[in-house]
Amino acid sequence: MDLEFEPGQNIAMKIPAHEYEDTVRFYREVLRFKEIAGSGAHDTSKFEFGDKVLWLDRVSSLSQSEIWLEVVASDIGKAAEYLKEQGCHRREEIEPLPDGLKAFWISSPSNIIHLVSSNYDT
């Protein structure tokens, strides 16, 4: 099968609301990571993380933080078929995706959420 996977550009940290401000301050002021400016006052905080983007998302329904990873597939259709054959479970309920984005959610056996996206749409 001529299907390849590679790390995506994005890492999302889903953070409980009560820990969010302290977490943003940690990356901004303690580690002094370069912040990526958003376009609005209520945008998600983003920081350069090597050649990746670290997104800090406030999630009021969480009790502890989670890490979500992006995986880029060379062929999104083949990736969906292959991952299903491998017993990976789609997790469409996790978070709505933007219209037209060729991507889907899965979870690893240890319940780490992965966004599987097309290398042509990210």
Side-chain angles (χ1 to χ4, degrees), residues 45-88:
S45 295
K46 299 178 286 199
F47 294 88
E48 289 183 8
F49 197 81
D51 65 343
K52 308 293 182 212
V53 176
L54 176 63
W55 296 71
L56 302 182
D57 297 332
R58 179 192 320 253
V59 182
S60 59
S61 61
L62 287 181
S63 63
Q64 62 186 27
S65 295
E66 298 179 3
I67 297 291
W68 294 13
L69 303 172
E70 181 182 22
V71 175
V72 177
S74 59
D75 183 312
I76 196 75
K78 286 181 181 177
E81 291 174 29
Y82 172 78
L83 292 168
K84 182 178 180 179
E85 291 168 0
Q86 298 303 309
C88 295

Side-chain angles (χ1 to χ4, degrees), residues 7-121:
Q9 181 64 28
N10 300 297
I11 302 168
M13 186 180 298
K14 305 295 185 172
I15 304 163
H18 69 280
E19 297 174 342
Y20 185 77
E21 295 302 325
D22 286 339
T23 303
V24 171
R25 187 187 74 72
F26 175 77
Y27 287 100
R28 181 185 291 141
E29 297 173 18
V30 176
L31 295 181
R32 292 177 278 174
F33 283 6
K34 183 176 179 184
E35 192 163 4
I36 300 169
S39 57
H42 299 289
D43 283 354
T44 296
S45 295
K46 299 178 286 199
F47 294 88
E48 289 183 8
F49 197 81
D51 65 343
K52 308 293 182 212
V53 176
L54 176 63
W55 296 71
L56 302 182
D57 297 332
R58 179 192 320 253
V59 182
S60 59
S61 61
L62 287 181
S63 63
Q64 62 186 27
S65 295
E66 298 179 3
I67 297 291
W68 294 13
L69 303 172
E70 181 182 22
V71 175
V72 177
S74 59
D75 183 312
I76 196 75
K78 286 181 181 177
E81 291 174 29
Y82 172 78
L83 292 168
K84 182 178 180 179
E85 291 168 0
Q86 298 303 309
C88 295
H89 299 285
R90 294 276 291 254
R91 299 294 307 274
E92 304 303 337
E93 79 283 3
I94 291 295
E95 184 176 287
L97 294 171
D99 289 338
L101 181 66
K102 293 180 181 169
F104 56 90
W105 300 108
I106 63 167
S107 60
S108 73
S110 61
N111 293 313
I112 301 298
I113 300 300
H114 292 71
L115 175 66
V116 181
S117 61
S118 168
N119 61 356
Y120 300 109
D121 294 322

